[in-house]
Every structure is written in C-alpha cells, then in structure tokens.
C-alpha cells in the first residue's frame, strides 16, 4: 500500500519475497533435501551454496507493517483449520481466498523478466476470484458480483471521500450507478476480468484509471480491508468506550497503533482519484 502512496518501493512488494527456499535440513541434520512438484533432490550440507532469487530485492520486514494483531487472527484461523481439524466453511473460504490473493501478488515468472500485458489480465482474474471466494455463502449459494459489492460497502472507511457514493460505475445495459470508491474500482476490475477471459477487446490503457494510476495498484488494499471487516476485531477499542470510561486512553492508543494498516489501505485507495504529481517531484 505504501509503495502506491509514496510512489517508490517500500518493503517487500511481491509474495515471492516470503517463499521458503526449497532446500531444508533433514531430520538428522546431515543433509539438505528439496521436494516439490518439479524436484526431489539431496544435497550435502557442507557443499551447499544457497542464494535468494535475483528477481526479488533483499529487504527488511519489521513488525510495524505486518500488524501483529491482524496476523494473530489469521494464524489462529490457520491453526484451527490445519492443526485442530475444524473444517468449517468460513475458515475454508478465507484461507482459500488468501491463497488466491497470494498468487495474484507473485512475480509473473521466477526471473521477473517476462511480464507482459497479458499478465495483467491473469493477475486481475486471480484478484476477482479472491473476492468471490471470500463472499461465497456455501454449497447452496453462489458468489455473485452483488455479494462482493455488499461486502465492500460494509467496510468502515474513515474518510468522507472513501465513504461518499459519487463514483460512477457501469452495470451494463446502459445502467450506471454512483458507488463508493472501493465498489467502483471493483466494478472496473470485474468488467476487465470478464472482458479479458471471454476474449473481448482489451487494451493496455484500459488498465489505467483517469489519473493515470494502474488498477492493479488497488486490489490488495481493498482485499485487506474486506478481510478485516469479515474477521472483525475482538480486541478493538472505540472512542465511545473511552468516553464512557469503559476503556482507557492508553488502550485506545494501542488499538490505533495496532490498526494502522487501515490508514495505509485508505491512503492507497484515495490515490486512485487524487491528481498524480510527476515522479521527479
């Protein structure tokens, strides 16, 4: 999100940066083993010379951008599903949706050197699928565009610009409606995905918004806020609770610090409509 608002590379940008190197020490600690869909091999530990992917820069990732409380919720969900074996629909949908989002944020190739216009359509398709999986109601229902729009409308945006329904979206058949910014951006994403996958004419400039920003700059921020809205925040503290004496100012301050990702997401979202200054300014 900050890479979009600050217009420079800030921290890890692609999920490739978090991929575990395919070699791992064996249980005896004497050899390295590698096993995946394309490889099964053994390596001598004292002769191994590992290297990170040259396509991904080496960068530090501290606790602040990771937002530990949000991560704690997701980790608890993962443990419930894969450690405790609780295979409920909600956790299954959230974890599958996260996997789709992680795939959308990968480099186009292991070397990062073959990205093309066609990758835009593939990545956008993965993002739309991530949203659809997130809102799927279960085996007896369907994941529809309207379900996604309803979820996005329920996101508690802070700024008036993000909440106001003044952003035009084309619903087809000559029908246009004014929506919240996140909803209007998703409509564009959904339409582009459909045109791309159905073989309709799509040009590179179609992925640009009116102010020149790339539509692919915004799905991650919207998805993160949508996911946070679904999960809720059992440790959240409101200003009303402080006024009522139910919580202290210190507790409220810690809450604001723990949920700073909301500010990052919102600033990123607003970059879709704010005038863009030249890169050299």
């Amino acid at each position: 999100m900050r890479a979009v608002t600050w217009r420079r590379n800030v921290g890890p940008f692609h999920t490739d940066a978090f991929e575990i190197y395919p070699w791992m020490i064996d249980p005896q600690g004497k050899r390295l083993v590698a096993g995946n869909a394309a490889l099964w091999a053994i390596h001598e530990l004292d002769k191994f010379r590992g290297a990170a992917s040259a396509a991904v820069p080496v960068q530090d990732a501290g606790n602040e951008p990771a937002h530990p409380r949000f991560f704690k919720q997701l980790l608890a969900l993962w443990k419930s599903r894969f450690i405790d074996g609780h295979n409920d629909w909600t956790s299954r949908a959230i974890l599958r949706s996260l996997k789709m989002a992680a795939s959308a944020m990968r480099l186009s190739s292991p070397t990062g050197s073959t990205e093309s216009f066609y990758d835009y359509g593939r990545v956008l398709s993965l993002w739309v699928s991530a949203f659809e999986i997130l809102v799927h109601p279960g085996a007896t229902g369907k994941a529809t565009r309207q379900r996604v729009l309803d979820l996005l409308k329920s996101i508690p945006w802070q700024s008036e610009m993000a909440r106001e329904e003044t952003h035009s979206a084309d619903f087809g058949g000559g029908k246009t409606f004014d929506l919240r910014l996140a909803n209007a951006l998703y409509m564009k994403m959904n339409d582009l995905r459909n045109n791309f996958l159905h073989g309709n004419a799509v040009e590179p400039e179609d992925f640009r918004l009116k102010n020149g920003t790339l539509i692919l700059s915004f799905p991650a921020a919207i998805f993160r806020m949508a996911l946070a809205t679904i999960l809720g925040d059992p440790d959240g503290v409101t200003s009303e609770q402080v006024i009522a004496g139910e919580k202290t100012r210190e507790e409220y301050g810690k809450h604001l610090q723990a949920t700073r990702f909301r500010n990052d997401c919102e600033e990123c979202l607003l970059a879709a409509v704010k005038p863009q200054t030249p890169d050299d300014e």
Side-chain angles (χ1 to χ4, degrees):
M1 274 72 79
R2 292 179 178 179
V4 175
T5 54
W6 295 356
R7 305 182 71 185
R8 59 183 175 85
N9 197 355
V10 182
F13 194 75
H14 296 281
T15 50
D16 303 73
F18 300 97
E19 292 286 336
I20 298 175
Y21 201 86
W23 292 96
M24 183 57 63
I25 300 175
D26 72 0
Q28 290 74 38
K30 297 179 179 179
R31 293 180 176 177
L32 289 172
V33 294
N36 56 40
L39 170 71
W40 173 253
I42 298 176
H43 203 300
E44 292 185 33
L45 190 59
D46 59 351
K47 294 183 179 180
F48 179 70
R49 297 293 182 270
S53 170
V56 182
V58 177
Q59 293 175 315
D60 293 330
N63 288 333
E64 193 273 330
H67 307 289
R69 202 160 78 193
F70 188 58
F71 174 77
K72 181 181 178 181
Q73 288 180 279
L74 294 176
L75 181 60
L77 197 70
W78 183 87
K79 287 182 176 179
S80 175
R81 170 67 182 87
F82 294 107
I83 303 299
D84 301 329
H86 296 157
N87 191 16
D88 63 285
W89 181 269
T90 300
S91 62
R92 189 159 67 243
I94 290 175
L95 292 172
R96 287 182 180 178
S97 178
L98 277 169
K99 178 59 178 178
M100 196 67 71
S103 297
M105 291 186 286
R106 288 178 61 91
L107 285 170
S108 299
S109 72
T111 62
S113 61
T114 59
E115 182 175 273
S116 71
F117 158 65
Y118 297 101
D119 289 306
Y120 291 177
R122 175 186 59 81
V123 170
L124 202 56
S125 299
L126 290 170
W127 273 121
V128 173
S129 292
F131 282 102
E132 291 176 339
I133 294 170
L134 196 60
V135 302
H136 202 296
T140 59
K142 292 183 178 181
T144 64
R145 179 182 67 184
Q146 190 57 50
R147 286 186 184 276
V148 177
L149 293 176
D150 290 342
L151 170 61
L152 300 187
K153 189 174 181 179
S154 70
I155 294 174
W157 301 106
Q158 300 177 83
S159 72
E160 182 66 26
M161 187 179 294
R163 292 194 307 268
E164 60 186 7
E165 298 182 4
T166 58
H167 307 277
S168 180
D170 185 359
F171 278 71
K175 297 179 180 180
T176 60
F177 297 95
D178 288 338
L179 308 175
R180 287 187 172 188
L181 179 55
N183 292 57
L185 289 172
Y186 179 78
M187 283 294 299
K188 183 173 178 63
M189 290 165 51
N190 188 74
D191 290 345
L192 274 172
R193 185 277 302 264
N194 290 341
N195 286 332
F196 208 97
L197 293 187
H198 296 165
N200 299 329
V202 180
E203 300 297 332
E205 56 266 26
D206 294 332
F207 287 84
R208 294 282 176 183
L209 303 178
K210 291 181 179 179
N211 67 349
T213 52
L214 189 67
I215 185 65
L216 289 174
S217 299
F218 307 104
I222 300 173
F223 180 82
R224 188 163 189 174
M225 286 297 292
L227 182 58
T229 301
I230 286 180
L231 287 174
D233 188 355
D235 298 320
V237 178
T238 66
S239 57
E240 289 77 12
Q241 288 177 308
V242 176
I243 294 173
E246 300 172 1
K247 298 289 183 178
T248 66
R249 290 182 177 274
E250 182 181 359
E251 289 175 314
Y252 186 55
K254 290 181 179 180
H255 163 75
L256 293 178
Q257 182 65 27
T259 56
R260 283 189 61 187
F261 72 89
R262 296 178 178 273
N263 298 333
D264 294 338
C265 290
E266 194 151 338
E267 288 180 16
C268 174
L269 188 71
L270 297 181
V273 292
K274 289 183 176 180
Q276 295 294 299
T277 57
D279 290 334
D280 57 353
E281 289 188 11

